[in-house]
Amino acid sequence: MSTTSTPARTAPRAAAAGRGPGRRGAGVTNVVLLATATVLVLIPFLWVVSLAFTPTEDAFGAPQLIPEDPTLGNFGTAWDANLGQALWNTSVVTVVAVLTNVVFATAAGYAFAMLPFRGSTALFYGLVSTAAIPVSVTLIPLFLMAKQFPLAGGNDLLGHGGSGLLDSLGGVVLPYVIGPMNIFLARQYFSAANSDLAEAARIDGAGEVRIFTRIYLPLAKPLLAVVSIFAFTGVWDDFLWPLVVTSSAETQTVQLALARFLTSGNVQYGPLMAGAVLITLPVLAVFLFNQRAFVSGLTDGSVKG
Amino acid sequence: MAAVTAPAAGTASAAAEGRRDRRSRRNRTRWIGVAFVAPAALYLLVFQLVPVLYGVALSLTEYSPLSRGAPRPVGLANYAALLDDPEFGQALLVTGRYVLMVLPLTVAIALGLALLANRPFRGVGAFRSALYVPHIVSLTVVSMVWLWMYSPDGLFNEWLTGLGLPEQRWLLQEDSALAAASAMRVWKALGSNMVLLLAGLQGIPRELYEAASMDGAGAWNRFRYVTLPGLRPMLTYVVAMDIVYLAQGFAEIYVLTQGGPLGSTTTVNYLIYTEAFQYNSFGSASAMAFVLFALIVSFSGLAVRGISGRKS
């Protein structure tokens, strides 16, 4: 982790060294304290990896950070416990949510910044404020709406007769299609963008869709990275909605598949931790490759979840 | 409007022409703007705002998804019943205690870490990223890790035994289960709070510190009179968001304790889930959700008021 991040982070840091109270650099105590805190925070993860490689018969009794005879068997057990299917399901749902957010949320944010219309400011605040609605408030209505979704799962046009989107991947993706915070981020981003390019392109006769997709979107890579990451982690990590909307193994998401390990009476920590490693790696990889987007100014005020 | 503002015009006639041109273009862009926004707006209308209204309606009914019949209107009966529902009262208390146990601790530690990580040195980025990792990993996964750490043969009991202290039953006894879950959540929330506070710290102008030093302010006074006031907007945001998220605790409770022992960790969200999806009473569960919503809004509003100071 440190090898990939150090060069990337020190350069802007050096440039910004004039800001904040830390302009004189850090003392030894400072670094030691920070390092100690970091190790303490990471200890649980060391144990996750350790247990994932510990044979089940050794998992009881005194835990050992370095397993005596490490095994890959736990990963096989976890995979067989529906984790493969769950990874596929979650990936499908995630790809859909990332695409819809990247296309529709950024388009909306772009229009709010660059193509305002009467009432657009009020509409913008209205849409963004839906981010504050607690999940528990919309949970039950969304469940019923998924159940009564027209022409899905054997439903007729009025949403009667079948199970609708319940227990389907379409149902799982339902609340993630467009994140209001992504609209907010997109508007913030494009508000700071230069509108001269659009003006010049208009004089050349380019249409608005073309200006957006050919000029501004390709320039907005940092925004697209952040929107994708938020859409990705939002879907990948969620638990309550998939728990409610799915009921069979065929539609289970990764977090649910992992939670199923707990219901089997006596918990097998080896396979559980192997599963935890497997489903966390994709998120961790995305994070490590995009640390700057996560820990930079673009996400100020929105790094939550 | 910025998009249609052309650079300063030349001659008067060109300006007039430009104005006419701009006006027609503005009309055109107006509709194209609507078209850009429409998919997102419609989606949020149908899947965020309609559910809220639907939820209000449901909370005024008695309805089981298993029954063939339609929801039966009962007026405010669900809300009235909540007033003397001991289970709901306890869930509110548990949720409140949970927020109060996690929030001050995680914000204080995160502020300390942000101050430490605000000093530039080689590799500070690695520390920032590493401290952020608990936030990246899903609540379900970290809860499972802590479930193991709290288990009879887990890490914490191992440490206690190593120190010659008696083992504890962390999640299994009424008086420690909620505290144990809170400790996990403090750890989980550190990273995101730290990153936000760090952004706040970096927004404080350096000149203020120099001026304070010049006036002879020591480290504590600089912190008290420069850092804290400068950090106030971000601190307000962090506290408000923490209240919103912590008050909705669910996945960690589901994994760690299933609401037990004896309801001592049953948060309102957990109760809503069981009420709706185990006992099939959608009406009263919806009423609970709106009471929770109202409380979240008022308490985070109060926190914002309290920290950012009364506005005249």
Side-chain angles (χ1 to χ4, degrees):
Chain A
M1 178 184 314
S2 52
T3 45
T4 56
S5 70
T6 309
R9 294 297 304 163
T10 41
R13 215 65 292 288
R19 290 186 292 148
R23 61 209 168 276
R24 278 189 305 271
V28 178
T29 338
N30 190 92
V31 178
V32 169
L33 276 174
L34 193 60
T36 314
T38 308
V39 170
L40 284 175
V41 163
L42 292 184
I43 280 178
F45 294 116
L46 299 180
W47 282 99
V48 173
V49 178
S50 162
L51 285 168
F53 289 99
T54 303
T56 312
E57 54 273 22
D58 298 357
F60 297 95
Q64 284 184 308
L65 192 53
I66 314 283
E68 264 169 33
D69 44 350
T71 171
L72 285 173
N74 291 330
F75 290 90
T77 314
W79 190 267
D80 292 339
N82 204 40
L83 210 61
Q85 172 78 43
L87 273 168
W88 168 252
N89 292 341
T90 303
S91 304
V92 171
V93 172
T94 303
V95 167
V96 171
V98 167
L99 284 178
T100 50
N101 272 287
V102 160
V103 174
F104 297 116
T106 52
Y110 173 83
F112 283 128
M114 308 282 270
L115 305 165
F117 46 91
R118 190 180 311 169
S120 62
T121 311
L123 181 62
F124 169 74
Y125 286 111
L127 294 185
V128 169
S129 65
T130 61
I133 300 170
V135 184
S136 50
V137 164
T138 50
L139 183 74
I140 296 165
L142 267 181
F143 173 83
L144 291 174
M145 286 167 77
K147 187 181 175 193
Q148 293 154 3
F149 207 87
L151 302 176
N155 276 352
D156 58 20
L157 194 61
L158 294 173
H160 297 303
S163 58
L165 290 177
L166 293 187
D167 205 26
S168 74
L169 293 184
V172 175
V173 82
L174 205 58
Y176 310 109
V177 174
I178 290 159
M181 281 317 280
N182 292 331
I183 301 177
F184 174 79
L185 286 173
R187 190 187 89 138
Q188 297 307 98
Y189 187 88
F190 289 118
S191 296
N194 191 339
S195 64
D196 292 353
L197 283 174
E199 200 59 27
R202 273 182 206 122
I203 290 164
D204 288 347
E208 296 297 337
V209 175
R210 203 178 159 78
I211 294 172
F212 172 60
T213 56
R214 294 295 162 82
I215 301 177
Y216 282 91
L217 218 46
L219 288 174
K221 289 215 179 76
L223 172 74
L224 297 183
V226 170
V227 168
S228 310
I229 289 164
F230 282 161
F232 178 87
T233 52
V235 179
W236 196 275
D237 290 349
D238 197 19
F239 184 72
L240 180 52
W241 173 250
L243 177 70
V244 163
V245 83
T246 70
S247 49
S248 68
E250 286 75 48
T251 55
Q252 240 172 29
T253 62
V254 285
Q255 311 293 338
L256 286 181
L258 201 62
R260 283 294 136 85
F261 281 87
L262 299 176
T263 53
S264 57
N266 114 28
V267 184
Q268 303 267 313
Y269 283 107
L272 178 71
M273 296 305 169
V277 169
L278 281 178
I279 71 167
T280 303
L281 277 181
V283 187
L284 209 57
V286 168
F287 168 63
L288 290 180
F289 284 116
N290 294 282
Q291 285 171 74
R292 294 191 58 190
F294 267 90
V295 197
S296 77
L298 187 60
T299 57
D300 289 359
S302 52
V303 198
K304 272 289 175 182
Chain B
M1 286 299 123
V4 291
T5 323
T11 65
S13 66
E17 197 179 303
R19 218 170 12 246
R20 205 165 42 242
D21 203 38
R22 229 175 293 153
R23 195 167 301 139
S24 76
R25 192 179 299 137
R26 191 177 301 174
N27 265 329
R28 191 151 43 85
T29 52
R30 193 168 278 161
W31 285 108
I32 191 81
V34 173
F36 270 58
V37 168
L42 282 177
Y43 169 81
L44 289 174
L45 180 73
V46 174
F47 293 103
Q48 284 291 331
L49 288 175
V50 168
V52 173
L53 300 178
Y54 193 179
V56 173
L58 274 175
S59 75
L60 304 174
T61 68
E62 203 179 285
Y63 180 52
S64 158
L66 299 181
S67 72
R68 288 264 152 223
R72 193 168 60 83
V74 293
L76 292 171
N78 287 325
Y79 291 95
L82 288 184
L83 283 178
D84 48 19
D85 176 350
E87 250 188 310
F88 184 66
Q90 191 187 0
L92 281 178
L93 268 177
V94 167
T95 308
R97 283 177 56 209
Y98 187 55
V99 174
L100 286 178
M101 281 198 276
V102 177
L103 182 78
L105 214 52
T106 195
V107 171
I109 301 175
L111 179 57
L113 290 175
L115 288 169
L116 290 174
N118 194 31
R119 313 274 176 132
F121 62 89
R122 261 188 90 78
V124 68
F127 285 116
R128 288 180 195 163
S129 296
L131 288 168
Y132 195 66
V133 167
H135 177 70
I136 300 299
V137 180
S138 77
L139 196 50
T140 324
V141 166
V142 299
S143 301
M144 288 176 184
V145 179
W146 283 67
L147 183 68
W148 170 75
M149 295 203 293
Y150 284 131
S151 70
D153 295 321
L155 194 59
F156 290 126
N157 277 337
E158 189 65 20
W159 283 346
L160 286 183
T161 317
L163 294 170
L165 296 168
E167 294 191 351
Q168 296 293 318
R169 300 175 65 228
W170 312 104
L171 293 167
L172 301 174
Q173 47 191 25
E174 233 181 310
D175 52 356
S176 63
L178 190 63
S182 307
M184 190 279 288
R185 205 59 204 264
V186 168
W187 170 84
K188 166 89 170 130
L190 277 182
S192 60
N193 284 343
M194 181 203 71
V195 166
L196 290 169
L197 292 171
L198 193 57
L201 284 176
Q202 296 188 343
I204 302 174
R206 172 192 174 184
E207 295 76 40
L208 290 181
Y209 287 100
E210 282 170 357
S213 293
M214 221 101 81
D215 290 345
W220 167 251
N221 278 335
R222 284 202 300 272
F223 177 76
R224 172 76 185 77
Y225 295 105
V226 180
T227 308
L228 275 187
L231 209 52
R232 197 174 261 179
M234 191 54 94
L235 207 55
T236 309
Y237 176 79
V238 164
V239 169
M241 292 314 275
D242 277 352
I243 291 177
V244 169
Y245 282 100
L246 291 170
Q248 298 185 59
F250 175 79
E252 71 274 38
I253 302 299
Y254 184 94
V255 170
L256 289 174
T257 61
Q258 303 263 318
L262 296 173
S264 60
T265 58
T266 300
T267 56
V268 177
N269 246 12
Y270 195 82
L271 186 66
I272 290 171
Y273 168 75
T274 51
E275 184 81 4
F277 296 100
Q278 286 175 9
Y279 299 110
N280 296 306
S281 37
F282 277 20
S284 84
S286 296
M288 289 179 186
F290 280 97
V291 173
L292 178 66
F293 190 8
L295 288 173
I296 289 177
V297 169
S298 17
F299 278 102
S300 48
L302 270 180
V304 168
R305 232 0 136 65
I307 304 171
S308 61
R310 274 146 295 276
K311 299 223 169 65
S312 52

